[in-house]
Amino acid sequence: MTPLDIDLASTNGFGIDHLPLGIALGADHNQSHVVTRISDNVLDLAELVDNGFDLGLEPEILNARSLNSLFSLGHEAMTTLRERIVELITTSSHHDRLG
């Protein structure tokens, strides 16, 4: 298990080697956010940035109604984003901040 109690060995197809991105309503149900699924967990990327995590993207990219702006940043930005998400979920130093 990772510091977030995410079973990275899960065979459900949504491990750290496959981080799907999508759009979901935030906790306030008023704003759409970019999210990713890891195992059986959903991480709200906009919420992470709002809480001080550096994902290498401007908040407005993650507070969006579509993935178009995010994908328009290109392959390098997407690779960096995925690397930072993996670091976040596999590094114990972030566990307390993620609650």
Side-chain angles (χ1 to χ4, degrees):
M1 297 292 230
T2 70
L4 293 175
D5 295 327
I6 297 171
D7 182 5
L8 297 180
S10 175
T11 59
N12 68 8
F14 295 99
I16 60 172
D17 293 328
H18 177 108
L19 295 174
L21 297 169
I23 300 293
L25 284 177
D28 62 6
H29 299 282
N30 291 321
Q31 176 68 44
S32 298
H33 297 169
V34 176
V35 299
T36 191
R37 178 178 172 179
I38 302 171
S39 188
D40 290 328
N41 301 276
V42 174
L43 289 180
D44 183 329
L45 303 184
E47 186 176 314
L48 291 176
V49 169
D50 288 346
N51 287 310
F53 290 98
D54 179 12
L55 296 180
L57 298 171
E58 297 298 321
E60 58 269 8
I61 296 291
L62 299 172
N63 288 305
R65 296 177 62 154
S66 78
L67 296 172
N68 294 347
S69 295
L70 177 60
F71 289 150
S72 73
L73 297 175
H75 179 74
E76 186 174 325
M78 296 302 299
T79 298
T80 299
L81 175 61
R82 290 177 188 280
E83 288 171 351
R84 290 186 181 185
I85 293 168
V86 169
E87 177 186 351
L88 177 70
I89 64 168
T90 59
T91 304
S92 62
S93 64
H94 297 302
H95 180 63
D96 291 340
R97 291 176 59 201
L98 291 169

